[in-house]
Amino acid sequence: MLSNLINRRVLREVLLVAYIGMVILTLIPFGSVTPFPFTFAAIGMFALAIISALLFGEPRQSRWVFSIALFLLVILTGWAFIQAIELPFNWLAHPAWNAAHDLADVRYAAISVEPADTLASILLIALPFVTFLTGLLLCDTDQRARKVLSRLGLSAGVIAVFGLLQFSMFPNILIVVEKHAYLDSLTAVFVNRNTAATFLGLGTLLMLTQVREITRSYSKYPPGEPGRNVLLLKSWIYILLLCACFTALMLSRSRAGIFATFVGALIYFPWLVVNWNSSRRFLTPGPRWRSMLKFLAGGVFVVVLLALFAGQAILRAQERRLEDDDRFCILPGIWRAILDHWLTGTGLGTFRTVFSAYRDPACGIFGIFDRAHNFYLEGFLGLGIIFPLAAVLVFSVLVKVFWRGLAERRRLRHYVLLGIAATVLVALHAAVDFSLQIPGFAVFFSAFLSAVVAISLGRSHPETDRQYV
């Protein structure tokens, strides 16, 4: 009995390492936007999910979140499949199929205007959901959830260092190929600077958390004891990785990415300053005015950082007004397309095909918009009314999870705040860009959310908790 329990723990640790490795590998080849790395990531993550589900079953502490996520996965992928198949009597079929029948005698008719693209896009939805579900299966304790967050933060720091070296030494190279776009901006392992900014912003928040953890461990370590110098070295390495993430974020020159990150930092950093040395062994609160002063100082520090280091992004914002940005010029056309197909949508992954008929000539004739630069509007156009309903359900679940985490977690409450800040960061940026539609980042954020949700809803065994007091 004991040997079986030990074997299951070892196996879970092995699967957790494989899970973290798969998440990181999905990032590296341009965010897995090309077919081969995306297929490899999907096969690997689905295999991990099946093995984890068969071995461990539903998570005990986050079962209701697991069930809702699985329900949404079935509903969204099932609806996308229905959009791509031919329904009897041309029921709900897009009107374009009637024109295709008259002009070319096409006898196929479906909700989607591009059934093949819709079928191919199902995996783009499934992979982040499966990543999240697998994370919940494997993060059964606070210790394992913290390990996931720690490794994700360190990977972001290493990628930031790589991005800085590449941008300074080989600015015309993207990993191993010639860089054609955003030559004046750091994009790290991504093609688009906005995706890089979302990732680096999240990495900055993660590394800030890791710096807090390692410096607190060092401050409590008895002087003269073996291992203290190792902790000091790790502290400096973590601080350098944090600086690398922040510097790379600034060099991305992404206006929305930097702004969204600072909104998240305003939520997270002041609270972290107030509770930097909090511990279960020191429960007596200090003077309220001192806490308020620390909180305000933390907020002012974030604002000062924005003013001092976000100069390039601020300059871009001043040089190019919002009304001159093509992303905002095309919004009325997207809304017209949504209003024409609000119930059933035009098919997942069909934005590029559908939007050309709604594009305003006043926005110029140059460039092809293959994405809406708005995650919510593109989802609404592609999937119809089911998408905003699913989005409301997702945000409602996260609000409930974070509320419970704030109410019930004490020592690990900063991880709940980290989850809130990161969710605000990503949700804000998703309104003006498509970072969540890049598989590598979507997988990274899903793994992050699974660990934060596991911490918000669960508690490790008492003997495990004491290690981190």
Side-chain angles (χ1 to χ4, degrees), residues 3-116:
S3 62
N4 288 337
L5 182 61
I6 294 175
N7 289 336
R8 284 173 64 86
R9 286 181 177 176
V10 172
L11 187 56
R12 193 188 288 269
E13 287 293 333
V14 170
L15 291 175
L16 188 67
V17 171
Y19 173 76
I20 296 169
M22 185 61 62
V23 171
I24 296 171
L25 284 176
T26 308
L27 285 170
I28 295 173
F30 316 114
S32 294
V33 293
T34 52
F36 179 76
F38 175 76
T39 303
F40 177 80
I43 292 173
M45 191 60 69
F46 274 77
L48 281 175
I50 292 171
I51 294 171
S52 301
L54 291 176
L55 288 175
F56 309 120
E58 285 187 328
R60 180 166 45 89
Q61 297 164 328
S62 55
R63 179 175 298 173
W64 65 275
V65 177
F66 183 90
S67 300
I68 292 174
L70 185 60
F71 169 76
L72 280 176
L73 171 62
V74 172
I75 293 296
L76 293 176
T77 56
W79 176 243
F81 178 77
I82 291 173
Q83 286 182 314
I85 64 175
E86 187 172 15
L87 299 175
F89 310 110
N90 293 342
W91 187 55
L92 297 178
H94 193 280
W97 291 105
N98 293 329
H101 179 270
D102 295 338
L103 294 173
D105 197 30
V106 175
R107 304 202 176 269
Y108 194 90
I111 295 173
S112 173
V113 298
E114 290 281 1

Side-chain angles (χ1 to χ4, degrees), residues 153-168:
L154 290 173
S155 67
V158 171
I159 289 174
V161 171
F162 168 79
L164 289 170
L165 292 174
Q166 179 181 249
F167 186 64
S168 60

Side-chain angles (χ1 to χ4, degrees), residues 444-467:
F444 185 87
F445 184 60
S446 297
F448 166 84
L449 272 186
S450 68
V452 171
V453 167
I455 291 175
S456 299
L457 296 180
R459 282 186 174 276
S460 298
H461 302 294
E463 61 271 15
T464 307
D465 278 344
R466 290 192 197 103
Q467 304 176 47

Side-chain angles (χ1 to χ4, degrees), residues 200-463:
L200 292 167
L202 180 54
T204 300
L205 296 181
L206 278 166
M207 282 311 306
L208 180 61
T209 306
Q210 297 310 309
V211 167
R212 190 246 190 190
E213 298 289 282
I214 194 69
T215 53
R216 289 181 72 239
S217 298
Y218 176 77
S219 65
K220 295 177 181 178
Y221 209 86
E225 289 291 325
R228 183 176 171 86
N229 290 335
V230 174
L231 273 180
L232 178 61
L233 178 62
K234 287 181 65 176
S235 299
W236 279 109
I237 291 175
Y238 281 26
I239 291 171
L240 289 175
L241 291 178
L242 169 62
C243 293
C245 284
F246 180 78
T247 304
L249 171 65
M250 295 300 106
L251 291 176
S252 72
R253 302 180 77 239
S254 169
R255 295 166 296 178
I258 293 173
F259 173 76
T261 299
F262 274 93
V263 172
L266 280 173
I267 295 172
Y268 185 48
F269 186 71
W271 189 94
L272 207 61
V273 170
V274 174
N275 297 274
W276 190 269
N277 293 315
S278 61
S279 172
R280 294 169 69 183
R281 284 176 289 188
F282 302 100
L283 296 177
T284 304
R288 188 174 182 84
W289 65 267
R290 185 176 297 173
S291 297
M292 287 298 299
L293 187 61
K294 289 182 179 179
F295 188 88
L296 291 174
V300 170
F301 180 75
V302 171
V303 174
V304 170
L305 279 182
L306 175 63
L308 290 178
F309 296 102
Q312 294 189 24
I314 295 173
L315 181 62
R316 284 190 63 232
Q318 292 174 342
E319 290 177 345
R320 191 172 187 180
R321 298 172 300 172
L322 291 181
E323 56 267 28
D324 296 330
D325 196 316
D326 292 340
R327 288 178 293 183
F328 296 95
C329 184
I330 67 173
L331 284 179
I334 298 174
W335 272 114
R336 289 196 302 272
I338 290 174
L339 292 176
D340 287 346
H341 310 92
W342 66 271
L343 182 60
T344 61
T346 61
L348 185 65
T350 62
F351 176 84
R352 178 172 178 167
T353 302
V354 172
F355 178 69
S356 58
Y358 292 88
R359 181 168 177 168
D360 187 350
C363 297
I365 61 174
F366 300 102
I368 297 173
F369 283 91
D370 54 359
R371 290 186 174 91
H373 289 270
N374 186 307
F375 172 73
Y376 311 107
L377 293 185
E378 185 165 344
F380 199 168
L381 177 60
L383 292 172
I385 191 64
I386 195 172
F387 180 83
L389 294 177
V392 169
L393 178 58
V394 168
F395 282 116
S396 299
V397 169
L398 289 177
V399 167
K400 184 175 181 180
V401 167
F402 293 144
W403 183 265
R404 178 173 166 182
L406 290 174
E408 297 186 1
R409 303 314 305 249
R410 295 292 185 269
R411 182 178 48 82
L412 298 183
R413 184 176 289 171
H414 60 287
Y415 282 102
V416 184
L417 265 294
L418 171 65
I420 295 172
T423 302
V424 170
L425 187 166
V426 175
L428 280 177
H429 203 191
V432 292
D433 216 86
F434 48 81
S435 298
L436 281 174
Q437 295 168 248
I438 303 302
F441 179 76
V443 166
F444 185 87
F445 184 60
S446 297
F448 166 84
L449 272 186
S450 68
V452 171
V453 167
I455 291 175
S456 299
L457 296 180
R459 282 186 174 276
S460 298
H461 302 294
E463 61 271 15

